[in-house]
Structures are given as C-alpha cells and as structure tokens.
C-alpha cells in the first residue's frame, strides 16, 4: 500500500532530525577552550499558588461546537506531535550534555589551577553560569508535555527529575567552591551532578528507543575524576522558554482544526538552595519530609516561594499525601528558619485521609520566619563550631561522660590546636544564630 503524503512527510523529517541532533552533539567536545562566561538573562517566571479554582455554583459553562467539523485521521506513530516532542527533547539534551562537560571542565581547571592559571573569580563565574543554565533546562523540560504512547511519560518524568537533581548539584558545587574547605564539598557535588546526568542520559536514550526513528542518539560521556589541565570553552545554549498559548486555528487544505488554549504551570523563581536531607517517600501513606538549606539573606517570602516550587515538583513526581519542609542555613540547624507543611487540612498526622495524588483537602501551613541575618556566624566560626562539636561527640563516646563547656573547651583547644577564645566565640555566635529559631508550638 502506498503511504499517504502526510506519512511520507513525517518519515522524511526523521533523517533531518537525526542529522541536526548529531551535528549539535559534535559541538560537545571533551576539552573546549576558555572564554568569559556569558551573562544569564534574568528569570522572569511568576509564582504560582497551589490552589484549585472552581466555577461558582449555578454557573453554566457554555461550549459552542463549530458549525462544520472534519475528523482528522489517526497519525501513524511516530506522527508530527511525537516528532516535535523529540525535537524539543533533542535541543534540551544537547544543551544539557554541553553543560555537563562545562561543569567537569570548570572543576578540572580549578583543581589544576597551578597549571591552567584560572582564577577563583573565573571559576566562580563559570559555576554561576552553569547553575543558572541548569535551572533553565530543568524548567524547560518540566514544561514539555510528553506524548502518551509507549511509556514516554514515565521516561520523560525520569529525565525531568534527573534534571532537577543536576540543578541542585550545580547550586551545591558553587556553594562548595565558596566554602572554606579544601574542595571536598565541591567535588561531592560534582559527583552528584554526574550521577544525575547519567540518569538523565539514560532516560533520553530510552525515549529515543521508544520513538525509534532509525538510530540511537548518545550524549557525551562525562567522568567525575579530574584529569590533566584542560582549557574550557563555555557555550551557553539559548534558554528554552514556554508561555501559555492562545487558542489557534490551523488550516490544512480544506480541513480546519481549532486547538484550545494550552495551560502551563509556571514555577516561581527561587533562591539558591540545596536539599541536605530527605526521606519518607516510600512509606504508606506517602509522607515526605526534607531539610532544605538556603542562601544568606533569604526572606520569609522567598522561603514560601521556594516551598511552593518544591511542592509543585514533588506533587508531580512523588504524588505525596503530606509534605513538610524544614528550612535551615546550616545543616546543623533544626528548622532554624521555620517549617512549611502541605497536608490534608494542614496536618501532617492526617496524611492517611488523602488519596495519593489528590490534593483537594490539602492546606498550607507556613511557619517560616523572617530571620535576623545580622547574627549569621562567619565561615570560620562555623568551622570551629563543627570541630568542637565533633570533639565533644568523640569525647563523650570514649569517656562515657558529658562535661560542661567550661571544662571541655580547654581540652578541645589543646587537642585541636585552637585558641580557647576562638571556640568560645564560635559557641556564642551559634547561640545568637539559633536564638530566634523556629520551635514547635
């Protein structure tokens, strides 16, 4: 049977898609050259409330049918919609692959700075650019609607979650660069980033296999281990943006099809953050808790926007029945910036009353606080405080006794090679920081 012109046209696009995809991948070389990081466009996304709007009682919703309708024949898989989806995923995947190589190169150049001559400012600017692009790509893939055929939504969800994990790791890598340690935090974040990228790459590969346009598309292989000095070329892909579209009318020959307007959820712009601990998602009912560290100066309003975004993402990916977020600046804190809960009637304990994926009875309880950031301890004070805390834990374990600070500080100062005044100052700074911390009522 001779294929229809429409089917032939869809099939003829396949070689072009593959060629364009493969040409884009060639640009992702292992060792590009250094150029200044590009300026990232400001994030103009709008906050979205986690609410459901219903029409007032007695209101009629009128639906006007077109005077003349013509049924469109079912398209042979993969049709135009599927191929358009593949093209969007291709663009995001290519940009993500390049970003992963830029992340590895920026870290390698910094680790080999005695040879490369790269400065802290250059590395910081590169990681800021990667962080911003990781967020943009996470948002872009979250706004793409996958076709419903052959498990594509599942693989798309996997790719989206992995993209979010890359964005979180990029934030942590930047924080690690700025921290006073010798690189352990930054390298751990790089490792997390690469693991998430491999998960993303695997999901994209499975999407390509499902659509089966004639050949596999492989993303670059990016390793965690540092190598000899490299030079870096940072090519920032254009940020993918999606906006709500008005109703459109498409005319093909004698057939007119009216497409209703699409509804897109735009997630709020958020401050730098990292999920430092989480759990509970495998329980029944699904009750997710997490501890989230945020950047200096974060306001109560920004905490609420961040919580809204995380809740939106987790509602889609985990379908929880209750979620609680503890906000901190330092991992040692216990909700020092407050708590935010999304649960049936705002009560974590009533999670079992909700059906998984149904949020109609959920209410938000925002117990975040407007933190006094003037009391924030310095990095040096936190380093001393943590060392003292580790010493206290080890001393109590070894001697099975707990000493007051007045007796333990001289011992710790001798053992750690620190001044007693430095330890006392660190303890006082921490006490001032947690003085206005949130506490359960």
């Amino acid at each position: 049977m001779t294929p229809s012109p429409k089917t032939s046209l869809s099939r003829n696009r396949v070689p072009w898609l593959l060629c364009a995809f493969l040409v884009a991948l060639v640009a992702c070389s292992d060792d590009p050259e250094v150029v200044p990081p590009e300026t990232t466009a400001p994030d103009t996304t709008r906050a979205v409330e986690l609410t459901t709007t219903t029409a007032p009682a007695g209101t009629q919703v009128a639906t006007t049918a077109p005077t003349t309708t013509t049924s469109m024949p079912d398209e042979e898989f993969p049709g135009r919609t599927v191929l358009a989806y593949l093209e969007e995923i291709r663009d995001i995947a290519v940009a993500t692959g390049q970003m992963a190589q830029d992340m590895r190169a920026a870290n390698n150049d910094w680790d080999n700075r005695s040879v490369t001559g790269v400065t802290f400012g250059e590395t910081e600017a590169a990681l800021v650019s990667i962080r911003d692009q990781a967020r943009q790509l996470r948002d872009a893939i979250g706004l793409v609607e996958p076709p419903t055929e052959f498990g594509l939504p599942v693989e798309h969800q996997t790719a989206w979650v992995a993209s979010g994990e890359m964005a979180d790791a990029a934030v942590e890598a930047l924080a690690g660069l700025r921290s006073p340690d010798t690189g352990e935090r930054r390298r751990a974040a790089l490792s997390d980033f690469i693991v998430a990228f491999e998960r993303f790459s695997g999901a994209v590969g499975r999407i390509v296999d499902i659509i089966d346009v004639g050949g596999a598309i492989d993303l670059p292989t990016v390793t965690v281990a540092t190598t000899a000095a490299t030079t870096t070329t940072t090519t920032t892909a254009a940020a993918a943006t999606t906006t709500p579209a008005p109703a459109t009318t498409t005319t093909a020959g004698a057939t007119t099809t009216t497409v209703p307007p699409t509804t897109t959820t735009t997630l709020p712009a958020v401050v730098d953050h990292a999920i430092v601990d989480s759990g509970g998602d495998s329980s029944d009912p699904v009750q997710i808790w997490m501890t989230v560290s945020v950047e200096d100066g974060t306001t109560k309003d920004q905490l609420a926007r961040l919580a809204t975004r995380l809740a939106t993402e987790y509602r889609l990916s985990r379908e929880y029945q209750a979620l609680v977020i503890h906000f901190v600046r330092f991992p040692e804190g216990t909700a020092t910036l407050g708590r935010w809960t999304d649960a049936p009637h705002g009560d974590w304990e009533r999670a079992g009353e909700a059906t998984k994926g149904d949020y109609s009875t959920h209410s938000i309880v925002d117990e975040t606080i407007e933190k006094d950031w003037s009391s924030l301890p310095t990095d040096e004070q936190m380093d001393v405080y943590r060392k003292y805390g580790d010493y206290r834990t080890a001393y109590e374990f070894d001697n099975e006794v707990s000493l007051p600070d007045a007796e333990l500080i001289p011992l710790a100062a001798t053992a750690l090679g620190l001044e007693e005044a430095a330890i006392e100052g660190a303890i006082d700074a921490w006490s001032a920081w947690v003085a206005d911390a949130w506490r359960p009522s």
Side-chain angles (χ1 to χ4, degrees), residues 52 315 319-322 343-344 351 353-362:
T52 302
R315 279 188 175 190
E319 294 188 331
Y320 60 77
Q321 287 148 282
E353 298 178 19
T355 302
K356 184 178 179 182
D358 178 12
Y359 306 103
S360 59
T361 63
H362 279 54

Side-chain angles (χ1 to χ4, degrees), residues 408-426:
L408 188 63
I409 287 175
L411 301 177
T414 301
L416 299 174
L418 297 171
E419 296 290 335
E420 291 185 28
I423 297 177
E424 292 169 351

